[in-house]
Amino acid sequence: MRGTNLELEQPKLPVFGSWLIEDVLKIYELPFLELMYQAQTIHRKHFPKNTMQLSTLLNIKDGGCPEDCHYCPQAARYQTGVKAKKLMSTDIVRKQAQAAKEAGATRFCMGAAWRELKDRDVPAIAALIQEVNALGMESCVTLGMLTEPQARALKEAGLDYYNHNVDSSEDYYKEIISTRTYDDRLKTLGRVRNAGIKVCSGGIVGMGENREDRAGMFVTLANLDVPPESIPINQLVPVPGTPLENTTKIDPLEFVRTIAVARIMFPTSRVRLSAGRTAMSDEMQTLCFMAGANSIFYGEKLLITENPDIIKDRALLTRLGIQVEEHNSVKKYCG
Ligand code: SAM
Ligand code: DTB
Ligand code: SF4
């Protein structure tokens, strides 16, 4: 029989909490065009079409991290040329956040190369969150593991999102990090959720994991009590000096499939096309947007590595007729 619309019916998806790896693999295995169609259809049901949310990252505490995450240029044990610095001053952070706002970002995400937040740093971090909120931007921080009282203190300071990635499947995680467990990560995510902060959690694709691992990562996220509002999908940036520097690059279409699977599994979450965009063609990024990515990191730097220039990103969005979301509209949508 020739192709008809009947073949394009949406499959019934498991409810959150009951996803199995097999369910995810079935989605991955759809013919590419069918997968894209389904992802874009779901996307349009839950988000305005042709729009993009912009988040800007700032590294507020560079390098010197005691952890052994094999991908990370900020781990002190790898020779990556990154120097450890102290926590950035409130003045500099305010200026950077103001500049990001003027450039069009609606969310400002501050990262620290810490294993965990220390109680003594909580007041300084709370002040940074307040500065960002005072500008009318959404605030996000990623500071490593948190205790319950710390999560509550960040909420009280007005924090909108906490980023803490599961990074991969539970199995593959063990190949990548030995200094803290998958369960440690899940505990921090639970504390963030219980404190009433929105959860930003995703991972890295292209670390040598297989499709089952990618599916396993999504199963973990889908089976949290409440799935993350925001899901960053990073393509590995292979940094010289890290154990993953020579990792074979993932097939670009498998990466696009991964974005589409995320969109289908998490219909109301923000799916962020995160690290790795400098290594992607305009065409690949366009496919990622078609697959349902509706947020990017915006600004010439990620934490340590490069990100596309603002001018280049603006030109791409204009070419594609994609409108940048403004602050007022962003608050209306989840994630
Ligand atoms: N230290 C904190 C932590 O690990 O939770 C916060 C910062 S850490 C750099 C945030 C995330 O950035 C990591 O969990 C990882 O997903 C991502 N990341 C780090 N290095 C990366 C790389 N080389 N390529 C892609 N993503 C990377
Ligand atoms: C996330 O998932 N990706 C961002 C943010 N959360 C903190 C970090 C990407 C880091 C890429 C490598 C670097 O520049 O250090
Ligand atoms: Fe440290 Fe975070 Fe880098 Fe791991 S990812 S080494 S915890 S900064």
Side-chain angles (χ1 to χ4, degrees), residues 3 6 15 37-38 85 97 122 131 148 172 181 204 210 222 225 227 231 233 254 269 279 287 301 315 325 331:
L6 291 177
V15 294
Y37 173 84
Q38 290 192 11
K85 291 190 191 154
V122 171
E131 291 288 350
E148 272 178 36
Y172 201 70
T181 65
I204 308 181
N210 60 29
D225 289 343
I231 306 190
I233 310 287
E254 177 69 9
S269 304
L287 282 177
K301 211 172 147 225
E325 289 186 12
K331 288 276 183 197

Side-chain angles (χ1 to χ4, degrees), residues 306-326:
E306 288 186 354
N307 198 41
D309 289 344
I310 282 181
I311 293 175
K312 191 168 185 284
D313 274 341
R314 286 284 181 175
L316 177 60
L317 295 174
T318 303
R319 260 171 92 199
L320 300 177
I322 293 178
Q323 288 191 348
V324 165
E325 289 186 12
E326 295 184 6

